[in-house]
């Protein structure tokens, strides 16, 4: 069965859609049209492919983590090395694509929301390269915990605006970016960093990130002569996970695992795992999806050690993949993610982002369960240099069991 | 005939209707009913009450803060509907519309919400982040409950979408006067007048204009060609600055009276 989502109005089953104030409807229709034209334009695709190769450094390697495999005691663990991309995460795959589209549409200014700062850095990078002005919205709490990325964005010429309303995290940064866009639609392109937001963003960001899974599938087949038993990726909004999963959706024998942030534990309520906790269906930031909200429909505050996963919603395609049973969603808490951070650092000499550390933690559990005949791919979606301060604050090496 | 229709019919050709906006439950739920009566005393023709939401994406800082104050003081969607019911006991005539965001309404359920509104004497509902394309189920429930469904038009609305929005709307059309969020200050009255002339070619309903109307002067200017003038942030800002609840209610009434005084017989109104 071949997978064809979303429908022409951006719905993934009951999810997705376009829930925005009227001022943004016209610009979204324009964006959708421009994107569809660009997709079919060989010149656009050729420029995108050349940039991904020469500027980003693709294809990213597929690396067999032998010592991590031995540590976990089971299936071979391969890492898709998105941390080796220019700017240090998968985010740049998408910002290159949207940046080229912005230039094609004649826009002079890029804006973006960011949580961990990786998407902000990737957007500021593309703005610098294309000669566009750039404003990044970031929650005040995230500015404090991801200081190195804030400095990088400013060096790249971006203005970083601190968002002090609400929970002061990614959700509030996205609110503020949408307000900016409504005010400046004529000259501004809003670069959304994940597979969320109003149509066409979830589909467009997925398409730009799908290169991860296309490469990984080819690389794994070359290496092992078969497909892996499982894929594992962390899910905040879910762009790195969708990017890895997409080329495998029709391969029914490959199990897909999305790993959410359990924060202080699902039972504590202080988490960011709407899919795993089976929170209800709601509407935020332009799309219907799983969402964390209270009995009055007010959005709940979330918690994760990882700023990039600290978000109450999730991309609508993940909601659809969960309901359809094609992907499974699990959650890993702060402690386990930190332990995985230290394990990869000590065993493989790779500092993973705290976001990716959630996937690494679950991958070790899964590897042990699948056994030595199996193999799996983890999306190492970003590098952890930005998290060194956060990890230090929790006690360096304290939780390493390696 | 609905209260909204009655009100516009009663004013036809004389002057624009005045629609003040307050955020329900700001600063407390108990202040909302006295405030609504004060707005009517000041000269409000319809009243728009905001239902607080944690993430009001279409609102500027003034109304964002009002939403935060209301939520912090315990306001809920049901609480706001209850205030309208209390207002209705003493005012059977002034139409009340609720303005809010989709998620709290969906959480309650469209049908439950619509019936609760009907029972409370709410006349119409505007869900800011629900365009007609996503509103089929909501419109059906609102229709059953006799509620008007009000949708937004904006400077970025195409001719094609104007037809879709016109067909989905009842009561009146809400024209967002500028590209931006509530409380913005870059209103261009001549541009709004030109856009409204285009809207009127296809729209059969009265057209209200909101966003960016900050004082009696801009209300009067817009009132010369619009069927209704909607003022929100300017009122909420005055309220937030008041030293006591009594002063806040008095200030709101005085401010609305000033707005109302500038609305006189105009040209370009539909008769």
């Amino acid at each position: 069965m071949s997978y064809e989502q979303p429908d022409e109005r951006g719905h993934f089953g009951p999810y997705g859609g376009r829930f925005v104030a009227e001022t943004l409807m016209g610009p979204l229709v324009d964006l959708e049209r421009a994107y569809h034209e660009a997709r079919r334009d060989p010149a656009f695709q050729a420029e995108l492919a050349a940039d991904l190769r020469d500027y980003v450094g693709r294809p990213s390697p597929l690396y067999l983590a032998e010592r991590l495999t031995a540590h976990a005691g089971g299936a071979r663990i391969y890492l898709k090395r998105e941390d080796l991309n220019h700017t240090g995460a998968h985010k740049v795959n998408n910002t290159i694509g949207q940046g080229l589209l912005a230039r094609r549409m004649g826009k002079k200014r890029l804006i973006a929301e960011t949580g961990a700062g990786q998407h902000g850095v990737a957007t500021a990078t593309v703005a610098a390269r294309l000669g566009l002005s750039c404003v990044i919205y970031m929650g005040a709490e995230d500015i404090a915990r991801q200081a190195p990325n804030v400095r990088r964005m400013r060096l790249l010429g971006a203005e970083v605006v601190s968002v002090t309303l609400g929970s002061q995290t990614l959700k509030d940064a996205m609110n503020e970016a949408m307000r900016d866009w409504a005010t400046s639609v004529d000259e501004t392109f809003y670069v959304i960093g994940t597979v969320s937001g109003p149509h066409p963003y979830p589909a467009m960001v997925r398409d730009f990130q799908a290169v991860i899974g296309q490469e990984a599938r080819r690389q794994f087949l070359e290496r092992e002569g078969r497909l892996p038993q499982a894929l594992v990726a962390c899910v905040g909004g879910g762009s790195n996970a969708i990017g890895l999963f997409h080329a495998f959706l029709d391969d029914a024998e490959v199990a897909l695992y999305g790993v959410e942030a359990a924060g202080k534990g699902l039972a504590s309520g202080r988490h960011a795992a709407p899919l795993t906790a089976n929170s209800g269906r709601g509407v935020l930031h332009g799309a219907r999806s799983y969402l964390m909200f209270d009995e009055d429909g007010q959005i709940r505050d979330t918690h994760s050690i990882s700023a990039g996963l600290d978000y109450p919603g999730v991309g609508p395609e993940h909601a659809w993949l969960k309901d359809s049973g094609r992907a499974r969603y699990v959650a890993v808490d702060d402690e386990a993610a930190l332990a995985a951070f230290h394990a990869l650092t000590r065993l493989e000499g790779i500092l993973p982002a705290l976001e990716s550390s959630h996937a690494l933690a679950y991958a070790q559990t899964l590897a042990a369960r699948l056994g030595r005949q199996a193999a799996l791919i983890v999306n190492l979606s970003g590098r952890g240099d930005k998290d060194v301060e956060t990890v230090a604050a929790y006690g360096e090496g304290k939780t390493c069991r390696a | 005939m609905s209260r909204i229709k009655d009100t516009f019919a009663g004013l036809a050709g004389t002057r624009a209707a005045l629609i003040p906006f307050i955020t329900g439950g700001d600063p407390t739920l108990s202040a909302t009913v006295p405030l609504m009566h004060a707005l009517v005393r000041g000269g409000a023709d319809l009243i728009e009450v905001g239902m607080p939401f944690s993430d009001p994406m279409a609102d500027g800082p003034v109304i964002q803060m009002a939403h935060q104050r209301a939520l912090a003081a315990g306001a809920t969607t049901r609480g706001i509907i209850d205030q309208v019911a209390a207002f209705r006991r003493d005012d059977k005539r002034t139409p009340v519309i609720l303005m809010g965001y989709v998620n709290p309404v969906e959480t309650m359920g469209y049908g439950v919400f619509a019936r609760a509104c009907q029972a409370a004497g709410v006349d119409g509902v505007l869900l800011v982040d629900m365009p007609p394309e996503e509103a089929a189920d909501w419109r059906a429930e609102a229709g059953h409950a006799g509620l008007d469904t009000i949708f937004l038009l904006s400077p970025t609305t195409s001719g094609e979408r104007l037809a879709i929005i016109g067909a989905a709307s009842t009561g009146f059309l809400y024209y967002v006067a500028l590209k931006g969020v509530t409380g913005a200050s870059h209103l261009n009255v001549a541009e709004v007048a030109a856009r409204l002339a285009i809207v009127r070619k296809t729209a059969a309903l009265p057209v209200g204009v909101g966003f960016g109307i900050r004082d009696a002067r801009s209300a009067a200017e817009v009132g010369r060609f619009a069927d209704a003038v909607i003022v929100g942030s300017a009122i909420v800002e005055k309220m937030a600055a008041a030293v006591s609840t009594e002063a806040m209610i008095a200030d709101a009434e005085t401010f609305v009276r000033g707005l109302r005084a500038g609305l006189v017989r105009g040209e370009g109104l539909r008769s």
Side-chain angles (χ1 to χ4, degrees):
Chain A
M1 192 190 76
S2 164
Y3 181 91
E4 287 290 336
Q5 296 282 349
D7 69 16
E8 74 282 358
R9 281 191 180 180
H11 296 115
F12 301 85
Y15 304 108
R18 198 175 261 164
F19 293 88
V20 294
E22 178 58 26
T23 309
L24 293 180
M25 287 298 286
L28 286 168
V29 171
D30 292 345
L31 173 62
E32 183 185 8
R33 193 175 302 127
Y35 174 56
H36 279 289
E37 285 168 13
R39 266 183 94 177
R40 292 193 199 87
D41 180 354
F44 180 86
Q45 291 297 343
E47 186 171 12
L48 177 61
D51 278 359
L52 291 178
R53 185 188 65 226
D54 303 333
Y55 188 70
V56 176
R58 302 204 72 89
S60 65
L62 185 70
Y63 167 72
L64 174 59
E66 292 186 14
R67 295 191 73 212
L68 185 71
T69 297
H71 177 67
R76 287 183 301 291
I77 300 174
Y78 284 85
L79 306 179
K80 181 60 175 163
R81 297 292 306 276
E82 293 299 301
D83 61 317
L84 294 178
N85 291 341
H86 178 46
T87 72
H90 72 290
K91 293 293 188 187
V92 74
N93 302 327
N94 170 49
T95 60
I96 292 274
Q98 290 197 42
L100 292 178
L101 189 56
R103 193 185 62 187
R104 187 184 168 97
M105 292 176 75
K107 304 293 184 182
K108 303 289 179 220
R109 177 173 178 266
L110 301 184
I111 59 169
E113 82 294 340
T114 197
Q118 289 301 126
H119 175 59
V121 167
T123 303
T125 297
V126 168
R129 178 160 174 263
L130 297 177
L132 305 172
S133 72
C134 184
V135 176
I136 305 293
Y137 292 93
M138 191 167 184
E141 184 183 327
D142 291 339
I143 285 182
R145 62 177 161 172
Q146 306 279 209
N149 274 344
V150 176
R151 285 194 284 273
R152 288 168 77 194
M153 287 183 266
R154 290 186 172 140
L155 286 170
L156 288 160
E159 180 190 349
V160 180
V161 177
S162 174
V163 179
T164 54
L165 278 163
S167 63
Q168 311 191 356
T169 58
L170 180 54
K171 158 180 92 80
D172 308 282
M174 199 151 175
N175 290 340
E176 210 50 39
M178 288 202 156
R179 291 180 187 120
D180 179 317
W181 197 35
T183 308
S184 64
V185 282
D186 293 335
E187 73 274 12
T188 299
F189 190 106
Y190 180 16
V191 184
I192 293 185
T194 191
V195 286
S196 199
H199 181 61
Y201 282 100
M204 179 172 69
V205 176
R206 171 197 73 195
D207 293 348
F208 287 135
Q209 292 293 1
V211 65
I212 301 171
Q214 288 155 8
E215 285 176 9
R217 194 173 184 280
R218 193 175 63 238
Q219 289 165 323
F220 192 91
L221 280 170
E222 278 168 16
R223 190 78 178 253
E224 295 247 348
R226 61 182 176 119
L227 292 173
Q229 272 64 42
L231 308 179
V232 183
C234 66
V235 176
S239 69
N240 90 81
I242 285 286
L244 178 64
F245 293 172
H246 226 260
F248 295 87
L249 284 179
D250 290 334
D251 301 319
E253 69 273 32
V254 181
L256 312 177
Y257 292 92
V259 185
E260 295 187 300
K264 302 285 186 195
L266 293 184
S268 74
R270 298 195 63 210
H271 61 81
L275 292 168
T276 313
N278 223 355
S279 59
R281 207 181 271 180
V283 174
L284 181 69
H285 294 149
R288 185 179 284 120
S289 187
Y290 280 75
L291 180 65
M292 293 169 59
F293 54 90
D294 68 15
E295 64 285 352
D296 188 40
Q298 310 297 336
I299 310 306
R300 281 188 193 282
D301 283 354
T302 54
H303 167 79
S304 170
I305 189 172
S306 137
L309 303 183
D310 201 351
Y311 182 69
V314 65
E317 191 162 12
H318 284 294
W320 171 246
L321 290 174
K322 173 185 164 77
D323 285 8
S324 69
R326 180 62 191 95
R328 273 169 269 185
Y329 295 87
V330 296
V332 158
D333 67 17
D334 290 350
E335 287 285 324
L338 268 172
F341 174 95
H342 289 297
L344 194 74
T345 302
R346 294 288 184 87
L347 291 169
E348 299 285 352
I350 299 171
L351 269 79
L354 282 173
E355 288 77 16
S356 321
S357 298
H358 288 73
L360 289 163
Y362 185 73
Q364 292 174 69
T365 309
L366 182 64
R369 200 170 79 219
L370 291 175
R372 292 177 190 282
Q373 301 308 312
L376 56 83
I377 300 174
V378 184
N379 199 358
L380 187 53
S381 56
R383 69 184 188 211
D385 308 48
K386 69 187 175 61
D387 295 314
V388 167
E389 291 299 319
T390 303
V391 172
Y394 274 78
E396 223 153 344
K398 194 176 72 181
T399 52
C400 183
R401 291 179 219 113
Chain B
M1 216 148 115
S2 78
R3 267 187 289 258
I4 293 177
K5 221 174 192 173
D6 277 345
T7 300
F8 280 107
L11 289 172
T14 62
R15 63 169 172 82
L18 177 61
I19 310 182
F21 166 96
I22 56 168
T23 300
D26 169 35
T28 60
L29 269 180
S30 60
T32 297
V33 174
L35 254 170
M36 291 171 75
H37 288 304
L39 299 177
V40 175
R41 285 196 304 275
D45 298 295
L46 291 85
I47 296 176
E48 187 180 354
V49 179
M51 299 180 282
F53 183 48
S54 52
D55 296 79
M57 280 167 295
D59 284 299
V62 168
I63 292 178
Q64 287 172 45
M65 296 302 291
H67 283 239
Q68 284 201 1
R69 283 194 299 270
L71 290 172
T76 60
T77 305
R78 277 191 187 279
I80 303 303
I81 295 171
D82 290 345
Q83 302 316 302
V84 178
F87 169 80
R88 220 13 115 221
R89 283 198 280 275
D90 297 315
D91 187 326
K92 313 280 188 216
R93 187 186 55 85
T94 310
V96 175
I97 60 177
L98 294 181
M99 178 175 187
Y101 290 80
V102 172
N103 202 56
V105 172
E106 232 178 75
T107 303
M108 192 185 282
Y110 296 150
V112 174
F113 173 80
R115 287 187 291 278
C117 284
Q118 180 184 31
V122 172
D123 299 284
V125 176
L126 195 178
L127 298 177
V128 184
D129 53 347
M130 183 182 269
E133 288 89 336
E134 301 284 356
D137 294 347
W138 156 240
R139 281 176 55 212
E141 294 291 353
H144 290 316
L147 296 174
D148 281 330
T149 50
I150 295 145
F151 290 94
L152 299 172
L153 297 169
S154 88
T156 58
T157 301
S158 65
E160 189 187 342
R161 298 205 69 257
L162 182 56
I164 295 170
I165 295 164
S169 301
T170 56
F172 67 95
L173 288 162
Y174 188 132
Y175 182 75
V176 174
L178 46 80
K179 293 172 193 161
V181 293
T182 54
S185 56
H186 50 282
L187 185 69
N188 179 335
V189 174
E191 200 177 292
V192 177
R195 286 286 305 177
L196 226 65
I198 297 169
V199 169
R200 286 196 192 284
K201 282 180 192 156
T202 51
L205 292 171
V207 185
V209 174
F211 284 43
I213 300 171
R214 303 198 52 78
D215 49 29
R217 188 168 149 241
S218 50
E221 284 173 359
V222 172
R224 277 197 267 281
F225 54 85
D227 296 307
V229 174
I230 304 154
V231 184
S233 294
I235 294 173
V236 174
E237 199 166 20
K238 288 268 181 307
M239 287 166 50
V243 293
S244 68
T245 305
E246 294 70 31
M248 179 191 75
I249 291 168
D251 288 355
E253 181 178 336
T254 306
F255 185 63
V256 169
R257 183 164 290 121
L259 296 172
R260 172 71 176 71
L263 297 180
V264 292
R265 179 181 293 273
E267 292 150 28
L269 284 173
R270 60 183 68 240
S271 50

